[in-house]
Amino acid sequence: MTGVRRARTAARIMVPLGLVLVLGGAGTFLVTHRGVTVAGSSMEPTYPAGTRLFVERLGGGEVRGGDVVLVRVPEHYGELPALRRVAGTGGDHVVSDGHRVTVNGRVLDEPYVKDDPLGPPPEPYDVRVPEGRLFLLGDDRANSNDSRAFLDDHAGGAPASAVLGRVRDGLPSSTTAACSLGAVLTAGGLGLAYTARRRSRAATGR
């Protein structure tokens, strides 16, 4: 019966520990992220209207160029949060000839931008993003209300403090690891408990 007792002891440890890891990983994710549904077409084709996304809660100071952020800027977008891509942060020199966008002299590689030959002709711009602000663009440049429309207001920059979060594609590695390990421990513990029970019944003839 020693093996049975060991299996039961292991099961009593593995199952609670596994559940703690699963619930802890999922709980942490829910606390640090929020779910949003894309309402408009400004971020097509990357995020079409109706797409369900997870947004990681963070401050504007943690945002980097290329990030897709959820912002609340009532004077630009009304009361509803807007989803836009960060082209430049405070101090960046953002220039466009109407087609290519350069930041501090480096041409951005933008495979996510929607090609719309039927859209209105794009206009060039040349701005220095004020400190504490973000220059935001939509991926559908022909159909996006973004920083280009507000160049007379702080060079089009939205306050970094307006950032509600950053879009995350997929689960964080820490969440995935915790939930995966927790699931393995729970399943393994339940398997040991079942095996120990069968062995115990066989040994007693029940």
Side-chain angles (χ1 to χ4, degrees):
M1 297 293 288
T2 301
V4 172
R5 285 196 295 269
R6 288 178 178 172
R8 286 175 174 169
T9 300
R12 292 191 185 107
I13 296 173
M14 293 171 64
V15 172
L17 179 58
L19 291 175
V20 167
L21 287 172
V22 171
L23 295 176
T28 299
F29 179 80
L30 293 175
V31 168
T32 57
H33 294 72
R34 62 185 290 183
V36 300
T37 300
V38 180
S41 60
S42 294
M43 290 303 295
E44 292 184 353
T46 312
Y47 302 116
T51 303
R52 185 69 177 170
L53 300 172
F54 284 112
V55 174
E56 179 184 12
R57 302 177 194 272
L58 47 70
E62 302 173 75
V63 171
R64 300 291 178 266
D67 288 345
V68 177
V69 295
L70 186 69
V71 295
R72 189 188 300 277
V73 190
E75 61 270 29
H76 290 178
Y77 308 119
E79 290 303 319
L80 293 178
L83 204 65
R84 297 291 185 271
R85 190 178 297 274
V86 178
T89 60
D92 284 342
H93 185 200
V94 183
V95 180
S96 176
D97 59 4
H99 299 281
R100 298 186 310 167
V101 178
T102 66
V103 178
N104 302 325
R106 180 176 62 85
V107 178
L108 295 185
D109 180 21
E110 299 186 295
Y112 40 76
V113 172
K114 183 176 182 179
D115 183 18
D116 187 359
L118 300 180
E123 296 184 3
Y125 53 86
D126 184 333
V127 300
R128 177 75 63 176
V129 185
E131 292 296 335
R133 292 190 170 258
L134 305 171
F135 196 82
L136 306 174
L137 296 173
D139 286 357
D140 184 358
R141 300 286 159 83
N143 187 35
S144 175
N145 184 31
D146 51 40
S147 288
R148 297 169 299 167
F150 313 109
L151 295 178
D152 292 334
D153 180 14
H154 296 91
S161 59
V163 172
L164 301 177
R166 174 175 56 199
V167 171
R168 175 180 285 279
D169 293 322
L171 295 174
S173 57
S174 58
T175 300
T176 302
C179 290
S180 298
L181 179 57
V184 169
L185 287 173
T186 301
L190 291 173
L192 285 174
Y194 176 74
T195 300
R197 186 178 180 184
R198 289 192 61 184
R199 288 179 179 177
S200 178
R201 286 184 173 181
T204 59
R206 296 173 59 187

